[in-house]
Structures are given as C-alpha cells and as structure tokens.
Amino acid sequence: ARPEQSWPAVITERLKTKGIAISLEANLGRSGWTSQDLIDFQLPEAERLRPDLVTVLIGTNDWVHGMDTATYRTNIREIFKRLVQLVPDRARIIVVTCPDFSLMPVGAEYSGGRDISQGISEFNEIVMEEAQAYPLTVVDLYPFSRTIEEDKFYASPDGLHPSAKG
C-alpha cells in the first residue's frame, strides 16, 4: 500500500471526517519488526514525539521468528506499561490483534511447520489479557483476517502483507 493507504493514514482521515481534530505525526510501523524492536526503537521515538493517540499492532513477526509466549508476554507488558505513561488518556491507546496470515497466498511459507492460526491466536490472547489489565481498547482484527479467502484483493502483490483494501 502507498503511504496514504496505510492503516495510520486511513484511520487519521476517517477520524477527521468524524469531526475529530487530528493529524498523523508519524507512522513508526516497520515491516518485519518484532516486539523487541518496538521496545528498542519505536517506543523511544514515540516518547520523543509525545503523541496523544497511539495504535499498536505487534506480534506476527515474533511468532514467525519462534518467540516463546513468556517472552512475548513480557514484551507486551513492557510496551503497554510505557504506552500508558506516554498517553495518559487510555482511551487513546488502541491495541490491534494480529491477523491470521495463514490464508494469505504465501502465508504457509512462514509457518516453520507450525499451525499459524493456533500460534497467532495464542499471541492474541496474551495481547487481550495484558490490555485488559490496564484496561486498553482492543480491536480484534483476527476474525476479519479469517475472511481473506472471500476476497483475494486483501493481499498485496507479495502474497503476505495486506493490500490497501486489506
């Protein structure tokens, strides 16, 4: 997707059409990054920017690289702890669950012989449990991602990532 079709750009424009005064200061998301990368690189940048609204979706690459659930949970706790310090209005921290990429055309190539749906579900449960502890708003993307077979246009040309439509 082009930058103006990215999730942060789309949500910014949709909020503007609802009369919410908002601007997109930065899209810190990086393809291939893990929760540890978020902690090491994206959180310090967010702390510098001091946003008043944050969305966070992290975990797919952790699972692909074989991170265990205990380490993932520790990282998610650290991320959420720092985000609530950064953005005091917890309603302005939006947590998004990981999509099930098993239905993407090349998704199986990233399974490592494991069950993608089950693994991503386990990671999403961690996200939802940890978000509930604060509490933070969670948008559960997982069920929608399971509809990918209904519309192949949700996949980008690389066969793995979502398209602009996705």
Side-chain angles (χ1 to χ4, degrees), residues 25-43:
E25 297 301 317
N27 176 357
L28 301 180
R30 299 291 178 266
S31 181
W33 279 24
T34 65
S35 58
Q36 191 62 56
D37 293 320
L38 192 155
I39 292 166
D40 293 342
F41 303 108
Q42 293 170 315
L43 280 175

Side-chain angles (χ1 to χ4, degrees), residues 13-77:
E13 289 307 309
R14 288 195 182 165
L15 290 171
K16 282 181 181 178
T17 64
K18 301 272 187 201
I20 297 170
I22 190 169
S23 64
L24 177 59
E25 297 301 317
N27 176 357
L28 301 180
R30 299 291 178 266
S31 181
W33 279 24
T34 65
S35 58
Q36 191 62 56
D37 293 320
L38 192 155
I39 292 166
D40 293 342
F41 303 108
Q42 293 170 315
L43 280 175
E45 182 64 10
E47 289 162 349
R48 186 187 69 75
L49 291 168
R50 307 295 307 166
D52 60 5
L53 174 73
V54 173
T55 63
V56 61
L57 186 168
I58 195 76
T60 301
N61 291 307
D62 294 282
W63 186 85
V64 168
H65 294 296
M67 181 180 284
D68 62 87
T69 56
T71 302
Y72 183 66
R73 183 178 298 275
T74 298
N75 287 356
I76 291 299
R77 276 189 188 144

Side-chain angles (χ1 to χ4, degrees), residues 78-139:
E78 176 68 14
I79 291 164
F80 292 171
K81 179 182 94 171
R82 287 177 59 186
L83 284 178
V84 298
Q85 292 168 350
L86 178 64
V87 182
D89 183 353
R90 293 177 187 194
R92 292 181 164 262
I93 300 171
I94 310 299
V95 178
V96 183
T97 62
C98 296
D100 180 353
F101 65 93
S102 67
L103 300 175
M104 291 298 221
V106 300
E109 294 175 24
Y110 295 87
S111 71
R114 300 169 293 157
D115 183 327
I116 295 169
S117 298
Q118 178 183 349
I120 294 297
S121 289
E122 289 172 3
F123 273 37
N124 284 340
E125 282 298 316
I126 291 168
V127 166
M128 289 187 271
E129 289 168 8
E130 295 301 324
Q132 188 176 29
Y134 283 97
L136 302 173
T137 300
V138 176
V139 176

